[in-house]
């Protein structure tokens, strides 16, 4: 390694540093540190003047390491790094020392101590800078195509959006037809349009789109690789297709709970789920004259605490449809809170009331009872608001059940190395800020596979996931920051601890000359350092934060 | 000791505690000048070795600050820290080093006040403990990782 | 209740601080100046005087205003070599500038010890226009000086204090201020409505003198920028329904009835009370809080729809109160607990089990006040028992309805339609939920429909995806 020639630029930041830290004194001190060939002070290093001074300093003094001692890297590190790059210095040869937010501003009443601390901190920074090495960011080419797993309305929506943006899309659907859950649904709330009228045009578009390749009765068998380069194997009735994609969207939807054993389901022929009711209505089969619906069956209970979001509206929809086609029919909905949030859903709820649907609040502590011999004939319930037992004549009992995680979730989670949440649905990277992404780069999630969702929200999510998935595809490459881990294969003992610890599955043990050594996938590694801290052989170096560099800082503090 | 000025090394993770320390600064919250922050990307980077080294070269105290459990930018790094540091403290006792010289705290990016409070209270507790009694073991930091 | 009128309070007292001015004048004398020109009361009235000793300065008068320019000129003409200090206002300085221009006076050897006029005095003055260029500002905040009492809310050298709209009027800010701690860019902005210079009331140089980056300049105006774009996304968010018209809740009349947003600002670490939930009437921290849901929502008089997020935010607020002050008891009066998102039901359950939050199904009919302790008293029917009850809390938080934030003007300019509630109309049905009535314009977030953060963020990405699709299809059609 060449002899370090370090330049240090100490900022006054107007009075923010200058009024508390003796900046000229610090500059003098710094000049005396080994390997420091240039030190100067600036009023505002981040100003145009300051940036020019850095560039000039690098050129005039042939600097190969630069330190700016000023505010915080979280504001201006990119700015100073690009100043270095502009004159040909690798940006990873730049080190930032925080002498404002973590020094002058917090020791305002002790200027001498603040000055001493600033000297300490810069000495530490110089010690690290001596050991910095240039790092190259690798560019990973991205295959400009995507995989969408799931051919329901959400998967199709995502695929069409990606195709419209110009990318090839592979859609893999396990059923013999596209359409997903909506094939069974009768009408959609809040407009009461027929579901098939919504999905059929979508299916046609997908089939006719030259950029979309559909695999029906197919399942994804294997996925390997990483963002930009996923190798996918699809199994279609024994036949395998292989292709390579840049990003993946998971849109496999959810399963429906069958409430066997509850409220006579499975034993009494006139006890159905909402979906079964819809199938009957679709076929034009008669529904009852006295229809009782019980909401939150198998949901918001100790065994399954979550609310499935879409069921209240589903129940109200079906109740409204029954009343519309048969105004004399009596329909009661027994519920424990009505989740008709927003604008359209409240309106829909009100309309249902106007149509004559009756809403009765029951509580978890006093569930309704089904009375009948061989079939449901009467429902006894405790009406919470009238505070009395009521008896409802019933010739059809409809149970509103939640969506549950699809049974394929476990397999897909393992195959793609993505996480499931505590309920078994897919776990997004961040509930609020990254709602359609997985922590794993390049893979995205939308629809009921993530959380029960209706069509409108699902399509929004589909667009969102497609939008995110298109990012790397459009860029054509990804360039992860070079602060990643590097394994010294000679030192690696193949213990595998790092492989287990990596939150991103970026490490894999691979055979090398008869033994196994760790290999870090630079494309995926985020540089957190968990592996580096754990390696018993000291074989992993964390670029830009190596043990040597950190220890140099520590030792410099006490020298 | 009245004139004992401790020197405390604080390993702060880039995404949470370092940002929290910055916020303490922008809010002008004052704390004793004993703290010297070393930035790492994740508290999971901080191995017991680094903490021990810091103590061995003369740190009177070592702070390890990370994101709150569940909030780690790298998902699980702080869970590792959550296990390593308490274990390390137990080991320190056996070496005759007061385990109170090492402290683990969770400071989020918005907790400037907490950072200042931790800095204040830790500095005070180190002052009460007195200076570190470890000899200044100047080992070369290259190579001998577990010497 | 916090002051709702926009009266402007100046720090005239501080600036007209005699001590400060006298101290400065003494300094000038110490530097060997021949004298200080100011006002002194003699023989029953105030007139210009040349102070030559510190003792005399004890009798310095700052009121009334008396333009000293003539006196100064006459003195200097008799005594050209004099080095003088002048206790002056802006008008004095301007007058002397003009005299210098006319060639009858020289400012050499003259130093000004400035006084800033109060607002009332400023009304009678005229001034030039100043404007602020953010480009040069380095965010060093030199123009704000730190106050030892307010570690977070910094007081700066600007003399104007107005109610802080970010803190809903519960706190104050200067006419040059940082809008909120997370502002992007994190630079100060000027308030064109209250800044003395911008409103041409006074040539105040407070911020300009403080700024070492010289970022405050005088010749910038609003710019009209022409943008040629292929798609537009409307994400203008939400505003709050004014619940003071709902008299039964007593908002605006009963001090300790606050809105949820005011509660948020009070409990925010960067808010006007630095995170202490000081109740408005007496500043005491309450340990018995009532939250009332659906105030203005699900109400035919106001907004018939459900604002969607209030059930969850009230629960969060109740939990926060407990975290701040363990033992706090919170009661939430609700209609339906709409906790439909991931982990939301579990959150409510935790609130009940670990945070001392009770949920009562009820829509309170009236809030009165207990005159002895200013506690609000809620009259309500517990719908599950049928009883009419009174509930005395120390503070009541109203979960006010949230309305879409888009003016009819903006909608007209964009050419998009709004529905009867003011939300952006989305005629695209199920498959184009983010499209507005105008092709190429998309909407997301609360202005689209009542949405929480996860859904809004999703819609944001979704709208971006739709916009990308539009633009891509325009490209492929050979469009621009």
């Amino acid at each position: 390694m060449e002899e370090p020639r370090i330049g240090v630029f100490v900022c006054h930041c107007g009075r923010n540093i200058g009024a508390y830290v003796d900046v000229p004194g610090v500059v003098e001190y710094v000049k005396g540190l080994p390997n420091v060939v240039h030190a100067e002070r600036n009023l505002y290093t981040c100003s145009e003047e300051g940036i020019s001074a850095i560039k000039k300093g690098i050129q005039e003094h042939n600097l190969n390491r630069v330190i700016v001692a000023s505010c915080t890297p979280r504001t201006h590190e990119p700015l100073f790094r690009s100043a270095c790059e502009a004159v040909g210095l690798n940006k990873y040869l730049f080190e930032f020392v925080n002498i404002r937010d973590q020094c002058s501003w917090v020791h305002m009443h002790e200027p001498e101590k603040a000055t001493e601390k600033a000297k300490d901190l810069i000495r530490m920074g110089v010690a690290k800078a001596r050991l910095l090495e240039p790092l190259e960011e690798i560019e990973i080419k991205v295959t400009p195509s995507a995989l969408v797993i799931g051919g329901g309305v959400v998967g199709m929506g995502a695929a069409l959006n990606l195709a419209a943006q110009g990318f090839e899309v592979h859609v893999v659907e396990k059923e013999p037809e596209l359409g997903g859950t909506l094939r069974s649904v009768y009408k959609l709330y809040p407009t009461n349009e027929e579901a098939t009228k919504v999905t059929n045009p979508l299916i046609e578009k997908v089939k006719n789109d030259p950029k979309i390749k559909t695999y029906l009765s197919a399942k994804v068998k294997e996925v390997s690789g990483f963002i930009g380069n996923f190798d996918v194997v699809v199994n279609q009735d024994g036949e395998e297709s292989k292709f390579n994609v840049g990003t993946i969207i998971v849109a496999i939807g959810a399963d429906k709970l069958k409430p066997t054993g509850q409220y006579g389901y499975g034993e009494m022929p006139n006890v159905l789920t909402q979906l079964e009711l819809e199938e009957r209505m679709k076929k034009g089969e008669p529904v009852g004259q006295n229809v009782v619906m019980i909401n939150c069956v198998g949901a918001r209970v100790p065994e399954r605490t979550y609310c499935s979001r879409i069921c209240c509206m589903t129940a109200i929809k079906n109740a409204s449809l029954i009343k519309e086609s048969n105004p004399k029919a009596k329909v009661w909905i027994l519920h424990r809170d009505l989740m008709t949030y927003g604008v359209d859903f409240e309106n829909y709820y009100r309309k249902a009331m106007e149509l004559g649907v009756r809403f009765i609040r029951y509580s978890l502590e006093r569930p309704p009872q089904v009375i009948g011999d061989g079939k449901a004939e009467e429902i006894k319930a405790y009406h919470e608001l009238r505070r009395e037992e009521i008896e409802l004549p019933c010739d059809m009992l409809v149970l509103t059940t939640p969506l549950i995680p699809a049974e394929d979730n476990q397999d897909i989670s393992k195959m793609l190395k993505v996480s499931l949440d505590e309920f078994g649905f897919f776990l997004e990277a961040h509930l609020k800020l990254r709602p359609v992404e997985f922590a794993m780069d390049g893979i995205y999630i939308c629809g009921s596979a993530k959380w029960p969702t209706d069509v409108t929200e699902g399509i929004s999510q589909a667009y969102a996931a497609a939008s995110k998935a298109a990012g790397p595809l459009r860029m054509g490459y990804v360039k992860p920051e070079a602060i990643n881990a590097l394994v010294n294969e000679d030192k690696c003992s193949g213990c595998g601890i790092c492989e287990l610890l990596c939150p991103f599955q970026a490490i894999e043990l691979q055979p090398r000359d008869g033994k196994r050594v760790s290999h870090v996938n630079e494309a995926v590694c985020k540089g957190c350092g968990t592996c580096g801290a754990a390696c018993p052989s000291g074989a992993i170096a964390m670029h830009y934060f190596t043990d040597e560099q950190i220890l140099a800082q520590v030792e410099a503090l006490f020298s | 000791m009245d004139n004992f000025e401790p020197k405390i090394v604080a390993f702060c993770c880039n995404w949470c505690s370092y940002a929290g320390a910055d916020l303490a600064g922008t809010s002008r919250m004052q704390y004793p000048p004993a703290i010297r922050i070393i930035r790492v990307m994740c508290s999971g980077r901080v191995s017991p070795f680094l903490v021990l080294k810091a103590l061995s070269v003369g740190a009177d105290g070592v702070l390890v600050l990370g994101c709150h459990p569940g909030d780690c930018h790298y998902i699980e790094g702080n869970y590792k820290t959550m296990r390593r540091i308490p274990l390390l403290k137990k080991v320190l006792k056996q070496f005759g080093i007061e385990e109170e010289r090492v402290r683990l705290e969770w400071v989020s990016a918005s907790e400037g006040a907490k950072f200042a409070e931790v800095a204040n209270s830790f500095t005070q507790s180190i002052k009460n403990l007195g200076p570190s009694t470890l000899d200044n073991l100047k080992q070369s930091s290259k190579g001998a990782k577990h010497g | 209740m916090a002051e709702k009128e926009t009266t402007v309070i100046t720090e005239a007292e501080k600036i007209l601080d005699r001590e400060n001015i006298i101290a400065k004048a003494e300094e000038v004398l110490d530097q060997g100046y021949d004298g200080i020109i100011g006002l002194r009361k003699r023989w029953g009235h105030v007139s210009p005087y040349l102070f030559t000793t510190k003792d005399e300065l004890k009798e310095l008068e700052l009121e009334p205003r008396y333009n000293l320019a003539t006196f100064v000129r006459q003195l200097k003409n008799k005594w050209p070599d004099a080095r003088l200090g002048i206790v002056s206002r802006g008008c004095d300085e301007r007058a002397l500038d003009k005299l210098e221009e006319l060639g009858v006076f020289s400012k050499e050897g003259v130093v000004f010890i400035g006084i800033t006029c109060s607002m009332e005095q400023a009304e009678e003055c005229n001034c030039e226009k100043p404007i602020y260029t953010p480009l040069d500002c380095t965010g060093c905040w030199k123009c704000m000086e730190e106050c030892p009492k307010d570690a977070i809310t910094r007081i700066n050298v600007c003399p104007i204090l107005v109610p802080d709209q970010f803190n809903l009027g519960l706190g104050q800010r200067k006419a040059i201020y940082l809008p909120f701690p997370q502002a992007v860019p994190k630079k100060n902005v000027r308030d064109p409505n209250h800044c003395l210079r911008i409103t041409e009331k006074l040539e105040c140089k407070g911020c300009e003198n403080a700024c070492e980056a010289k970022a405050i300049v005088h010749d910038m105006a609003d710019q009209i920028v022409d943008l040629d774009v292929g798609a537009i996304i409307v994400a203008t968010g939400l505003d709050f329904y004014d619940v003071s018209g709902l008299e039964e809740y007593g908002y605006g009349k009963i001090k300790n009835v606050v809105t949820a947003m005011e509660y948020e600002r009070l409990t925010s670490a960067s808010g006007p009370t630095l995170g202490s939930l000081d109740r408005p009437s007496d500043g005491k921290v309450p340990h018995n809080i009532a939250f009332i849901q659906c105030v203005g929502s699900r109400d035919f008089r106001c907004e018939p729809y459900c604002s969607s997020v209030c059930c969850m935010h009230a629960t969060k607020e109740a939990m926060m109160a407990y975290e701040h002050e363990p033992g706090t008891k919170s009661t939430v009066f609700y209609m339906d607990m709409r906790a439909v998102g991931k982990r939301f039901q579990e959150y409510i359950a935790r609130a009940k089990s670990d945070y001392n939050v009770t949920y009562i199904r009820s829509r309170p009919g009236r809030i009165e006040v207990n005159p002895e302790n200013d506690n609000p008293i809620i009259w309500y029917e517990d719908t599950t028992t049928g009883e009419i009850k009174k509930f005395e809390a120390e503070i009541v938080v109203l979960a006010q309805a949230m309305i879409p934030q888009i003016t009819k003007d903006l909608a007209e300019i964009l050419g998009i339609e709004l529905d009867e509630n003011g939300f952006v109309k989305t005629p695209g049905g199920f498959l184009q939920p983010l499209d507005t009535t105008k092709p190429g314009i998309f909407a997301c977030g609360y202005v689209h429909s009542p949405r929480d953060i996860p859904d809004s963020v999703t819609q944001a990405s979704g709208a971006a995806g739709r916009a990308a699709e539009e633009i891509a299809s325009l490209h492929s059609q050979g469009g621009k």
Side-chain angles (χ1 to χ4, degrees), chain A residues 16 72-74 77 98 101-102 105-110 113 117 120-121 124 439 483 501 503-504 526-530 532-536 538 542 545-547 550-551 553-555 557-559, chain B residues 5 7 9 11 14 18-19 21-22 24-26 28-33 35-42 44-45 47 49-50 53-54 57-59 74-77 80 84 138-139 141 145-146:
Chain A
N16 289 298
T72 166
R74 293 172 58 251
E77 184 170 63
N98 183 327
D101 302 43
Q102 292 173 3
W105 270 348
V106 290
H107 309 309
M108 287 161 75
H109 308 302
E110 298 172 281
K113 303 241 173 86
K117 178 166 166 174
D120 279 353
L121 291 170
M124 289 159 73
I483 53 166
L501 285 182
F504 304 98
K526 301 220 182 295
C528 68
T530 307
C535 177
M542 301 307 307
F545 293 97
T546 63
D547 272 354
I550 295 178
L551 290 173
Q553 290 181 70
V554 174
E555 290 185 353
L557 176 56
F558 295 100
S559 62
Chain B
E5 294 294 343
K7 273 209 178 152
V9 175
F11 292 100
N14 181 62
Y18 191 93
D22 278 347
T26 52
R28 310 296 196 278
M29 295 180 184
Q30 308 293 298
Y31 53 84
I35 311 280
R36 304 285 183 274
I37 293 177
I38 292 183
R39 182 169 79 125
V40 290
M41 293 312 282
C42 178
R45 174 74 189 87
S47 62
F49 170 61
L50 291 176
K53 235 359 192 146
V57 297
Y74 305 101
I75 307 175
E76 307 170 349
K80 315 294 191 282
R84 286 175 186 150
K138 288 208 80 99
Q139 283 180 20
S141 65
K145 174 170 173 139
H146 299 283

Side-chain angles (χ1 to χ4, degrees), chain C residues 122-253:
Chain C
E123 311 267 28
E124 296 155 47
C125 292
N126 284 317
C127 197
E128 279 101 73
K129 267 193 273 250
I131 298 144
Y132 167 56
T133 172
L135 297 172
D136 294 341
C137 171
T138 57
C140 71
W141 304 337
K142 178 56 175 53
C143 54
M144 288 174 131
E145 266 167 31
E146 172 211 2
C147 164
K149 275 197 282 185
D150 285 338
I152 295 183
T153 312
R154 281 170 291 278
I155 294 176
N156 60 25
V157 299
C158 172
I160 298 299
L161 268 183
V162 292
D164 179 353
Q165 60 260 63
F166 185 74
N167 282 317
L168 304 171
L170 297 170
Q172 292 169 326
R173 57 149 179 85
K174 300 285 185 158
I176 181 168
Y177 62 104
L178 188 67
F180 49 93
Q182 296 82 21
V184 174
K186 199 167 182 182
K187 306 199 172 164
N188 284 358
V189 294
R190 301 275 284 281
D191 175 357
N193 299 319
H194 293 109
C195 168
L196 290 175
R197 277 198 89 151
I198 299 179
T199 52
E200 306 188 7
K201 294 210 166 78
L202 187 69
E203 189 166 331
C204 170
K205 288 200 174 120
C207 53
E208 189 185 345
N209 286 341
C211 182
E212 287 186 18
K214 308 266 181 282
I216 303 186
V217 298
H218 304 308
D219 53 3
M220 208 163 118
D222 277 353
Q223 290 177 348
I224 307 281
V225 179
D226 280 319
L227 296 172
D228 218 346
V229 297
I232 298 178
I233 298 178
V234 180
T236 48
L238 60 88
D239 204 346
F240 296 100
Y241 184 83
D242 180 4
V243 295
S244 49
L246 298 171
E247 295 182 13
E248 65 267 34
Y249 297 110
Y251 177 76
K253 298 206 181 67

